[in-house]
Amino acid sequence: FKEACAKVGQGLRLRMQSGYTHSYYFIASFIEDHIKFHADKLRNKTIALAQVAKPIQTPKTSQGVGKPITCRAMVAFAFNEPLQCRNVIVDPPKAGEVRVKVICNALCHTDVYTWSGSDPEGLLPAILGHEAGAIVESVGPGVTSVSIGDHIVPGYTPQCSETDCIFCSSHKTNLCPKIRSTQGQGVMPDGTSRFKLEDGTPIYHFMGISSFSEYTVLAEISCAKISPAYPLEKACLFGCGVSTGLGAVLNTTKVEPGSSVAVFGLGAVGLAVVQAAKMVGAGRIIGIDVNPEKEVIGQAFGITDFVNPNDDPNTPIQKRIVEMTTWGCDYTYDCTGNTKVMRAALECAHRGWGVSCVIGVAASGQEISTRPFQLVTGRKWMGTAFGGFKTRTDVPKLVDKALNGELPGIEKYITHVLHGVTSWNDAIHILESGECLRCVVIY
C-alpha cells in the first residue's frame, strides 16, 4: 500500500497499532477518528477557498462611496399596520460610521413587539430589523476596524472598547452605554438620522441597525467583523436570539456538566438555551411549552423531558417540575417574557443553590414578584442581555466555532426563507402563526 501511494504521489499518514491485525474490524473500531480526520481536512479546505475567493455578493462601491444611495426599505408608518415599501435615501456614513449592504435578515420577536405598538420607546416612522448579515459598502472618517467588502453582523449591544469604558473593560457585563441614549432615540450618535424619504421626511433608526432596508448605516462600534467563509443567512442569527440563548448558559449562569436544566418557552431563544445546555453536558434538560408540537422540535435540540402546562392546568407548573426532580432544577430559564412564567421558573429552581435567569422581555409596565422566602432559601434570580456576549469580540468567535464544527446545527433554527425586502409583512404573519423559529429574508 505504501509503495502504491508513493508511485502515484499520494500523501499518506500511516498509523500502525501494536497488537492489532489491521483487519476490517480494526479499521471499524477507529472509524470515528477516520471520519473526523477527513472532515477536518475538508472543512479547512472550504475555509481556505472561501477566504481567497471574491464574495459573490460584495456590493459595487465605486458609484456610491461618499454619496447618498437610494434603495428600497420597508417602513413602519403606523403601529400594527402593514409595513410599506418605499424608496429611501441613505446618506453616506459620517465619522465613526459604516454603511452596509444588507444581504439577509432574520425576524425577531423584538421587531414585532415594536411594530405592534407594545414598545413604549417605539418611534415612527421607522425602519425596523436588527438580526442581519451585511457587507460593508463604505466607511466614514476614522473607521479602522472594518473595511469595504468585509462581512459583518450588526450588534444592537455596541462595544466601544475604549480604555475608559468601565463596562467594556469589565468581564462582568457587555452593556456598553457609549451610544445607548441616541440609539434609544432612533438616531445616530450625532443626533441625526441617515434615512429620509424622497420628499425629505426623516425616518428613525431602530436599535441602531434598521435592517429592513437594502442599505443601512451603523456605528463602527456596532459592527462585528466575521469570516466570509460562513454564509450570512446563517450568521445573521448570531445578531440576537441564538446568541442570547447560548450566552445565557455559557456566560450568565455558567452551567456545569451534569446539571439539571428547565427551559420555559421553546422558541429560537429557548432552543438555543437547550443547545448550549447539551453542549456543556447538562444531565437533564426539561423543556416546557404550551405547544405540544415543540416536544419533537425540542428533542432535536437536546431536551430529555417535555412538559405541557396545559396537560394539568390545575397544578402549578413549578410544582410539577419540583415533583419531577425532588428539589427543583439547578438552572431555570424564562424565554417567554411572561412575568407569571418568570416566577414559576424561579420557584422551581433548586432549593439552596438554584439559579433562575430571565431572558424574555416583558411588556411595558410589567413587574415580577415572588415570596422573599424563595430567595432566602438559596435561589438566585438574574437576567441577561444578548447572553452576556460582547458584540465585536465574541460574535466573530461564535461564527468561527460554527465553521469548525464546535457549534453545529445553526441551520435548524431557520424554518422559513423568503426572498426580497418586500417580504417582511409575510414574515411577520409567519412568525405570528407560532410555527416559526426564525424566518430569514434574503434580499
Side-chain angles (χ1 to χ4, degrees):
F1 183 65
K2 289 190 290 185
E3 290 76 9
C5 289
K7 186 175 181 181
V8 297
Q10 172 64 50
L12 173 65
R13 190 181 77 171
L14 189 62
R15 187 178 70 178
M16 305 296 287
Q17 297 287 343
S18 177
Y20 286 89
T21 63
H22 297 84
S23 65
Y24 167 80
Y25 298 102
F26 165 80
I27 296 172
S29 68
F30 289 93
I31 193 66
E32 186 175 345
D33 288 346
H34 180 75
I35 292 173
K36 185 178 184 302
F37 172 80
H38 288 287
D40 289 342
K41 289 290 185 182
L42 288 171
R43 185 182 299 114
N44 292 337
K45 187 171 184 179
T46 299
I47 293 172
L49 288 172
Q51 289 175 337
V52 300
K54 183 179 179 180
I56 296 175
Q57 296 174 311
T58 297
K60 296 179 180 179
T61 60
S62 58
Q63 298 178 350
V65 173
K67 301 177 182 178
I69 288 178
T70 299
C71 69
R72 295 181 301 169
M74 294 298 281
V75 183
F77 287 98
F79 295 118
N80 215 31
E81 294 290 335
L83 305 177
Q84 297 182 29
C85 183
R86 294 292 185 90
N87 286 333
V88 298
I89 298 170
V90 186
D91 287 337
K94 295 186 179 181
E97 298 176 358
V98 179
R99 187 164 62 186
V100 300
K101 177 177 175 59
V102 181
I103 303 302
C104 54
N105 197 103
L107 181 62
C108 175
H109 282 281
T110 305
D111 300 312
V112 178
Y113 174 73
T114 298
W115 167 79
S116 69
S118 301
D119 183 357
E121 293 186 358
L123 300 168
L124 299 182
I127 298 172
L128 304 176
H130 66 285
E131 201 167 293
I135 298 176
V136 176
E137 177 271 339
S138 58
V139 300
V143 171
T144 59
S145 63
V146 295
S147 303
I148 293 172
D150 283 345
H151 288 211
I152 65 110
V153 170
Y156 69 90
T157 302
Q159 181 186 356
C160 74
S161 298
E162 294 178 4
T163 55
D164 60 349
C165 178
I166 60 173
F167 294 88
C168 286
S169 300
S170 172
H171 68 279
K172 297 178 181 180
T173 186
N174 60 340
L175 299 178
C176 173
K178 181 72 173 182
I179 59 174
R180 177 65 186 90
S181 60
T182 51
Q183 184 169 305
Q185 296 167 29
V187 292
M188 295 299 289
D190 72 345
T192 63
S193 174
R194 301 294 168 270
F195 295 112
K196 57 178 174 285
L197 298 174
E198 291 182 304
D199 65 3
T201 302
I203 304 172
Y204 286 112
H205 293 250
F206 176 69
M207 295 180 70
I209 298 176
S210 291
S211 48
F212 286 6
S213 172
E214 293 173 324
Y215 286 85
T216 188
V217 178
L218 313 166
E220 179 187 13
I221 63 174
S222 299
C223 296
K225 179 181 174 180
I226 65 168
S227 169
Y230 197 64
L232 286 170
E233 60 268 23
K234 291 196 289 185
C236 67
L237 301 185
F238 291 121
C240 184
V242 172
S243 295
T244 298
L246 296 173
V249 172
L250 303 175
N251 302 325
T252 307
T253 58
K254 296 180 173 62
V255 173
E256 305 95 347
S259 300
S260 56
V261 170
V263 183
F264 289 78
L266 297 179
V269 175
L271 291 171
V273 171
V274 171
Q275 180 176 6
K278 182 179 180 181
M279 286 168 52
V280 299
R284 190 174 188 183
I285 306 173
I286 303 171
I288 301 104
D289 202 291
V290 295
N291 182 350
E293 295 181 1
K294 292 296 180 71
E295 180 173 8
V296 174
I297 298 171
Q299 289 171 345
F301 281 83
I303 64 169
T304 58
D305 303 81
F306 178 78
V307 180
N308 186 337
N310 291 337
D311 290 344
D312 186 2
N314 295 321
T315 303
I317 186 62
Q318 54 265 53
K319 182 178 180 181
R320 292 177 63 186
I321 301 301
V322 170
E323 289 174 349
M324 290 172 62
T325 57
T326 306
W327 291 106
C329 290
D330 299 317
Y331 297 93
T332 68
Y333 302 85
D334 166 69
C335 306
T336 69
N338 184 309
T339 55
K340 292 182 179 179
V341 177
M342 294 175 190
R343 177 171 185 167
L346 173 75
E347 294 180 357
C348 68
H350 202 292
R351 178 185 176 93
W353 61 73
V355 175
S356 188
C357 183
V358 175
I359 305 175
V361 179
S364 175
Q366 295 292 305
E367 297 180 351
I368 55 176
S369 63
T370 191
R371 293 182 299 123
F373 187 72
Q374 295 289 338
L375 303 178
V376 171
T377 50
R379 298 170 186 85
K380 295 180 181 178
W381 217 349
M382 59 198 313
T384 191
F386 196 48
F389 286 120
K390 294 179 185 287
T391 293
R392 295 202 289 168
T393 300
D394 294 329
V395 170
K397 294 178 182 178
L398 289 173
V399 170
D400 289 344
K401 286 184 177 181
L403 271 172
N404 65 30
E406 295 178 57
L407 192 53
I410 298 302
E411 65 279 354
K412 292 191 295 185
Y413 294 95
I414 304 173
T415 54
H416 298 77
V417 177
L418 301 178
H419 293 271
V421 72
T422 58
S423 301
W424 282 112
N425 288 317
D426 292 335
I428 291 172
H429 293 318
I430 290 171
L431 188 66
E432 290 181 323
S433 73
E435 299 176 355
C436 174
L437 295 179
R438 278 296 186 265
C439 177
V440 173
V441 177
I442 301 174
Y443 295 174

